[in-house]
């Protein structure tokens, strides 16, 4: 049995009380918001790619041992325009929307111009981010939508470009202990240059009087793109106490091809190309000097969507990522491909993701050409100095077949021991979640028959001592006849089940989530 990715989901804006099996810890008070595509067809039109579906937010609120569930479509301009027209009229990355043939020539010309110089969608269906005191639904365009995190109502539309020239921004920011937010975006051909920009948004206290925290956006550093009109695609980045890590990979957006995509009758996704003949550049930015370090690091061609964590130790910068050898993951999520898999019962082959650890020496002084500069004893990752002074990095593969990594975020930027991930086998569809011990390489799993779990989110125990003192939350689609979908709660230390919150509503396959703790 396989999940039906094409099925439109019903929203449930009013809270639904879940049926609890087991016992929730009394300290677990807060709201888990998750985001992902939920609607894939309108009228006689359908999206081509699963990522393109209209954003459906859903949440699980924990209060005094009970759980309430609700869901609501993000009512952005994209959603409203599509609903008003009764068909898909706003293009997404994998779906080019063409005008109704009944429209007049004026409307067709406007549509053409809008796609030649794209005004991207505000269908923010990838994650939830926090800037200042506010929460936003986000994808990776220049638009984000403010939401009420408790009712899931859609609020103001915010354009990054009003605060800095950013065409694309990741949906995976970092947060420090003081509450500041950090993110990375791309400025395309701005003043004749294409560059990647790291920026900071101050803490809620510093932005409390502002209607939009981005008004206080501070540029930390800009890194020039190695090619003006083909910037690298990226989905996340790394951060430690003293450094940022940005991977400029040979998965590139061809801007000129994007400008002519509508005329050629193809999607913008067709302009995303993997170039395996190129190396992957690893940029290290010093947070104190706000400049890129002089040493040039690179590795072989790869595709990375998710960083796990990064930390500094004994003169090294260590960072973990989930990496692929090619870009077949994106192609797997075209809805026609998923439909064929469902009908045949077979999953198409794709490049299995690998959990990789890189170790970068923070100084190469005294190193000889051909010497491995990594001196850490616990990893086989290498960094070899070449004649031109560049450092060729080779990672250690810690495990395979994993995705959507999360850690105890209190250890973000510090040396961690545990990572929590989905387990993917013959396809990208998660059949289990797992706890991975990076020291012992031990994997502990939870799986349920005919169940598809989401990204596991770690919630720490208040005043916990050990790194894995806490619980894991994951929403589970349950295809067993007569059984409801549920939110699963695991004890993170033992990775054993302590509770399920069964929901009398059909959950949808989502992407990422954010937990907002509440004071009891």
């Amino acid at each position: 049995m396989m999940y039906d990715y094409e099925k439109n989901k019903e929203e449930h804006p009013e809270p639904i009380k879940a049926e609890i099996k087991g016992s929730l810890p009394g300290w677990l008070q807060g709201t888990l918001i998750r985001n992902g595509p939920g609607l894939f067809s309108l009228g006689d039109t359908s999206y081509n790619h699963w990522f393109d579906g209209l954003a459906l937010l859903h949440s699980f609120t924990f209060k005094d041992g009970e759980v309430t569930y609700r869901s609501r479509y993000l009512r952005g301009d994209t959603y409203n325009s599509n609903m008003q027209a009764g068909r898909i009229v706003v293009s997404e990355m994998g779906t080019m929307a063409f005008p109704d043939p009944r429209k007049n020539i004026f409307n067709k010309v406007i549509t053409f111009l809008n796609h030649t110089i794209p005004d991207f969608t505000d269908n923010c269906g990838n994650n939830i981010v926090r800037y200042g005191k506010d929460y936003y639904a986000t994808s990776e365009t220049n638009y984000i939508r403010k939401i009420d995190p408790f009712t899931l109502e859609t609020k103001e539309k915010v354009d990054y470009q009003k605060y800095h020239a950013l065409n694309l921004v990741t949906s995976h920011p970092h947060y420090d202990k003081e509450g500041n937010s950090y993110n990375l975006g791309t400025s395309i051909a701005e003043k004749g240059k294409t560059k990647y920009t790291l920026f900071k948004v101050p803490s809620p206290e510093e932005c409390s009087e502002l209607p939009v925290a981005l008004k206080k956006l501070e540029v930390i550093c800009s890194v020039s793109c190695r090619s003006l009109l083909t910037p690298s695609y990226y989905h996340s980045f790394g951060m430690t106490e003293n450094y940022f890590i940005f991977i400029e990979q040979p998965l590139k957006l061809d801007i000129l091809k994007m400008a002519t995509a509508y005329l050629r009758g193809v999607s913008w996704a067709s302009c995303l190309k993997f170039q395996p003949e190129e190396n992957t550049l690893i940029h290290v930015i010093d947070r104190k000097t706000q400049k890129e370090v002089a040493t040039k690091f690179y590795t072989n061609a790869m595709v990375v969507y998710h960083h796990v964590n990064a930390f500094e130790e004994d003169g090294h910068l260590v960072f973990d990522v989930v990496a692929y050898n090619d870009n077949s993951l994106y192609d797997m999520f075209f809805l026609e491909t998923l439909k064929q898999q469902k009908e045949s019962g077979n999953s198409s082959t794709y490049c299995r993701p690998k959990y990789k650890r890189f170790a970068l020496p923070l100084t190469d002084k005294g190193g000889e050409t051909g010497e491995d500069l990594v001196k850490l004893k616990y990893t086989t990752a290498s960094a070899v100095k070449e004649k031109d002074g560049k450092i060729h990095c080779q990672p250690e593969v810690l495990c395979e077949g994993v995705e959507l990594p999360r850690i105890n975020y209190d250890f973000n930027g510090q040396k961690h021991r545990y990572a929590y991930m989905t387990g993917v086998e013959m396809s990208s569809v998660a059949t289990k979640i797992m706890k991975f011990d990076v020291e012992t390489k031990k994997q502990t799993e939870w799986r349920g028959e005919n169940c598809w779990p989401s990204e596991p989110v770690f919630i720490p125990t208040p005043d916990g001592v050990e790194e894995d003192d806490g619980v894991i939350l994951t929403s589970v689609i349950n295809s067993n006849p007569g059984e409801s979908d549920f939110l699963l709660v695991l004890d993170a230390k033992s990775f054993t089940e302590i509770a399920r919150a069964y929901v009398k509503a059909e959950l949808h396959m989502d992407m990422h989530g954010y937990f907002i703790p509440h004071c009891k």
Side-chain angles (χ1 to χ4, degrees), residues 284-405:
V284 178
I285 294 94
D286 189 313
R287 293 180 63 181
K288 293 179 180 177
T289 65
Q290 299 189 344
K291 295 180 179 179
E292 188 173 3
V293 302
T295 306
K296 302 300 180 185
F297 302 98
Y298 77 95
T299 189
N300 299 339
M302 65 178 184
V303 174
V304 171
Y305 298 100
H306 297 114
H307 283 246
V308 182
N309 192 26
F311 58 91
E312 303 161 38
E313 186 172 34
D314 296 335
H316 296 77
L317 182 60
V318 181
F319 67 92
D320 296 355
V321 296
V322 175
Y324 297 79
N325 292 337
D326 57 33
N327 191 38
S328 57
L329 176 70
Y330 185 86
D331 294 339
M332 280 199 65
F333 281 98
F334 278 102
L335 288 170
E336 183 59 32
T337 301
L338 292 168
K339 181 180 178 181
Q340 291 174 4
Q341 292 178 26
K342 185 174 184 292
E343 291 174 350
S344 66
N346 297 319
S347 297
S348 62
T349 58
Y350 82 119
C351 173
R352 291 185 78 213
K354 297 178 181 179
Y355 184 128
K356 293 184 176 182
R357 167 161 288 181
F358 287 86
L360 279 54
L362 290 172
T363 177
D364 62 350
K365 293 180 180 179
E368 301 292 332
T369 298
E371 179 184 351
D372 181 4
L373 302 178
V374 177
K375 306 305 178 185
L376 299 173
K377 301 299 183 183
Y378 57 78
T379 181
T380 59
S382 64
V384 176
K385 188 172 184 178
E386 300 187 331
K387 289 182 180 180
D388 57 5
K390 294 180 180 178
I391 309 294
H392 184 207
C393 304
Q394 291 282 26
E396 175 185 4
V397 176
L398 299 181
C399 65
E400 297 187 34
V402 294
E403 249 298 0
L404 301 177

Side-chain angles (χ1 to χ4, degrees), residues 17 142 189 193 226 243 299 315 336 370 393 405 428 463 481 483:
K17 185 176 179 180
N142 56 296
K193 294 182 179 180
R226 58 175 156 180
Y243 298 95
T299 189
E336 183 59 32
C393 304
S428 57
D463 303 320
E483 297 184 13

Side-chain angles (χ1 to χ4, degrees), residues 67-365:
V67 176
T68 54
Y69 173 82
R70 72 169 84 212
S71 63
R72 192 187 293 263
Y73 276 101
L74 185 75
R75 283 166 168 75
D77 293 350
T78 296
Y79 178 94
N80 292 331
S81 295
N82 288 341
M83 290 300 170
Q84 183 178 0
R87 66 195 308 272
I88 298 169
V89 295
V90 180
S91 295
E92 302 291 339
M93 190 66 181
T95 307
M96 192 63 78
F98 295 95
D100 190 322
R102 295 167 294 182
K103 296 292 183 181
N104 60 39
I105 189 65
F106 176 77
N107 285 324
K108 292 182 180 180
V109 169
I110 293 298
T111 302
F112 173 77
L113 292 175
N114 284 341
H115 286 81
T116 302
I117 306 173
D119 184 22
F120 288 119
T121 175
D122 69 342
N123 179 32
C124 304
N126 188 274
N127 203 359
I128 305 296
V129 303
R130 176 183 58 76
Y131 289 131
K133 63 183 184 301
D134 297 319
Y135 296 90
Y136 298 86
T138 180
S139 55
E140 293 178 321
T141 73
N142 56 296
Y143 293 121
I144 52 179
R145 294 296 310 216
K146 183 179 174 182
I147 62 166
D148 183 314
F150 307 116
T151 66
L152 304 183
E153 292 177 281
T154 305
K155 302 294 185 180
E156 297 85 359
K157 179 180 181 179
V158 174
D159 185 352
Y160 281 107
Q161 296 201 58
K162 289 185 177 180
Y163 309 101
H164 194 71
L166 296 168
N167 303 95
L168 304 167
V169 181
T170 86
S171 56
H172 288 284
H174 283 282
Y175 310 96
D176 64 18
K177 296 286 194 293
E178 289 72 39
N180 303 301
S181 306
Y182 302 85
N183 213 339
L184 177 67
T186 302
S187 301
I188 299 173
E190 198 262 332
K191 295 182 180 179
K193 294 182 179 180
T194 296
K195 55 189 177 182
Y196 311 105
T197 299
L198 277 157
F199 63 89
K200 171 186 173 182
V201 180
S203 66
E205 289 73 23
E206 293 186 57
C207 301
S208 60
E209 303 302 320
L210 296 176
V212 179
L214 286 173
K215 284 182 175 288
K216 281 202 170 185
L217 182 152
E218 305 170 19
V219 173
I220 296 172
C221 178
S222 290
V223 175
S224 295
C225 175
R226 58 175 156 180
S227 51
L228 177 66
L229 295 176
T230 54
S232 171
Y233 171 79
Y234 52 92
H235 188 67
S236 60
F237 63 103
M239 184 178 82
T240 68
E241 181 181 355
N242 296 298
Y243 298 95
F244 294 105
I245 305 101
F246 164 54
I247 296 175
E248 188 177 9
Q249 57 196 10
L251 177 60
K252 298 182 174 183
L253 283 167
D254 190 314
I255 302 305
L256 291 180
K257 287 185 176 179
M258 288 185 74
T260 61
Y262 184 82
L263 181 64
R264 293 182 290 117
V266 299
S267 70
W268 289 319
S270 68
C271 308
L272 184 68
K273 295 295 182 183
F274 179 58
Q275 300 177 323
E277 69 279 4
E278 292 192 6
N279 291 322
T280 299
L281 305 183
I282 303 171
H283 299 279
V284 178
I285 294 94
D286 189 313
R287 293 180 63 181
K288 293 179 180 177
T289 65
Q290 299 189 344
K291 295 180 179 179
E292 188 173 3
V293 302
T295 306
K296 302 300 180 185
F297 302 98
Y298 77 95
T299 189
N300 299 339
M302 65 178 184
V303 174
V304 171
Y305 298 100
H306 297 114
H307 283 246
V308 182
N309 192 26
F311 58 91
E312 303 161 38
E313 186 172 34
D314 296 335
H316 296 77
L317 182 60
V318 181
F319 67 92
D320 296 355
V321 296
V322 175
Y324 297 79
N325 292 337
D326 57 33
N327 191 38
S328 57
L329 176 70
Y330 185 86
D331 294 339
M332 280 199 65
F333 281 98
F334 278 102
L335 288 170
E336 183 59 32
T337 301
L338 292 168
K339 181 180 178 181
Q340 291 174 4
Q341 292 178 26
K342 185 174 184 292
E343 291 174 350
S344 66
N346 297 319
S347 297
S348 62
T349 58
Y350 82 119
C351 173
R352 291 185 78 213
K354 297 178 181 179
Y355 184 128
K356 293 184 176 182
R357 167 161 288 181
F358 287 86
L360 279 54
L362 290 172
T363 177
D364 62 350
K365 293 180 180 179

